[in-house]
Amino acid sequence: PASSASRPAACLSPAAIYARLRLCAQLRVRAALAAARAAGEPRRRRPHGGGRAGRDADDAGAEDVDAKGGGWAMAAKKWYVVDAEGLRLGRMSSEIAKLLLGKHKPEFTPGADVGDCVVVINAEKCIVTGNKAKDKLYRRHSGRPGGMKTESYEELQRRIPERIVEKAIKGMLPHNSHGRELFRHLKVYKGSEHPHQAQAPEALQFGGLTSTPDSQVLDLTDPDALFCVEP
């Protein structure tokens, strides 16, 4: 039988074609090295994986990747701080989700990290309208049989108010790896203090219904009252 070298390319197996392409690539690299050596260029020694030379090369490569990729993207982001005191939960969350996605920018591209970073303070002072404070439920499961835990908005606000804002905003982001990456740019804190003064965040205020107090508060203390809605 004829050898693989004498067979036409159409009769070769995929493994033989790959081996031939690899051999051609190696020959091109050797020819380039020989031409550089003939021109008098110093030979570059590739550092080994271990030792100080390898670590220095890895560090230099990491800095180069960071400068070209994620580091540059984070450096281009603006930081905003939002005071959640008196703001409606849903409307505030939708505005913050737009900032994280970058929909306020003309260069917005779905799937691209072009949004900004947002810091939310006074998470415990966020409000909901109507009777949602008692009716809205939050569920979590431990993963074991019978491990379902349910608590109302009021109970969770007393325990972990940051989780309410985080869950509301996370539900408005894409439910994939891109949304999980955007969620990392959200910082929620209880109280008026936050550890991001070094980023010099710009104070952001929302108008309209986002900051309008509830004008129709139900008074359920006396069901027989003539006016159950206060102006």
Side-chain angles (χ1 to χ4, degrees):
S3 62
S4 61
S6 60
R7 293 179 187 176
C11 301
L12 296 178
S13 63
I17 295 175
Y18 174 76
R20 182 173 293 185
L21 293 176
R22 185 176 180 181
L23 178 61
C24 294
Q26 292 176 352
L27 293 177
R28 285 196 297 267
V29 171
R30 292 177 183 176
L33 291 176
R37 204 173 293 119
E41 295 182 5
R43 183 180 179 183
R44 299 179 182 179
R45 297 185 60 86
R46 182 179 179 182
H48 298 285
R52 183 172 182 179
R55 289 195 299 269
D56 293 342
D58 294 340
D59 295 341
E63 293 175 1
D64 185 58
V65 171
D66 185 69
K68 295 180 181 179
W72 179 88
M74 286 299 297
K77 290 181 179 294
K78 292 185 62 177
W79 284 71
Y80 296 98
V81 58
V82 177
D83 190 353
E85 181 176 2
L87 298 184
R88 301 188 184 188
L89 175 64
R91 295 182 179 273
M92 178 194 68
S93 301
S94 62
E95 296 295 334
I96 294 177
K98 293 178 186 178
L99 295 174
L100 296 175
L101 286 165
K103 286 193 172 183
H104 60 294
K105 297 182 178 180
E107 62 269 19
F108 166 71
T109 304
D113 187 7
V114 296
D116 295 323
C117 300
V118 181
V119 179
V120 181
I121 59 176
N122 291 324
E124 75 281 3
K125 299 180 181 179
C126 188
I127 65 172
V128 290
T129 58
N131 206 32
K132 300 185 187 72
K134 298 179 180 178
D135 294 344
K136 186 174 179 62
L137 301 178
Y138 292 88
R139 299 177 177 88
R140 67 185 189 277
H141 204 287
S142 65
R144 295 178 175 273
M148 175 73 75
K149 302 293 183 181
T150 305
E151 55 187 341
S152 65
Y153 176 91
E154 291 179 335
E155 296 171 345
L156 185 58
Q157 193 176 36
R158 287 193 297 266
R159 194 169 65 92
I160 311 176
E162 300 94 333
R163 184 171 297 176
I164 294 177
V165 179
E166 290 176 351
K167 288 178 69 69
I169 298 175
K170 188 173 184 179
M172 299 181 183
L173 296 175
H175 297 169
N176 50 26
S177 60
H178 177 53
R180 292 189 292 271
E181 178 66 22
L182 296 178
F183 182 70
R184 295 178 58 249
H185 304 153
L186 173 69
K187 313 295 180 182
V188 185
Y189 298 99
K190 176 182 177 180
S192 59
E193 300 295 331
H194 63 86
H196 302 286
Q197 288 83 4
Q199 283 71 30
E202 177 184 345
L204 194 63
Q205 296 181 352
F206 300 129
L209 290 176
T210 306
S211 57
T212 302
D214 193 2
S215 60
Q216 295 185 355
V217 180
L218 296 179
D219 185 9
L220 302 179
T221 56
D222 186 6
D224 298 329
L226 295 178
F227 302 99
C228 61
V229 178
E230 298 178 0

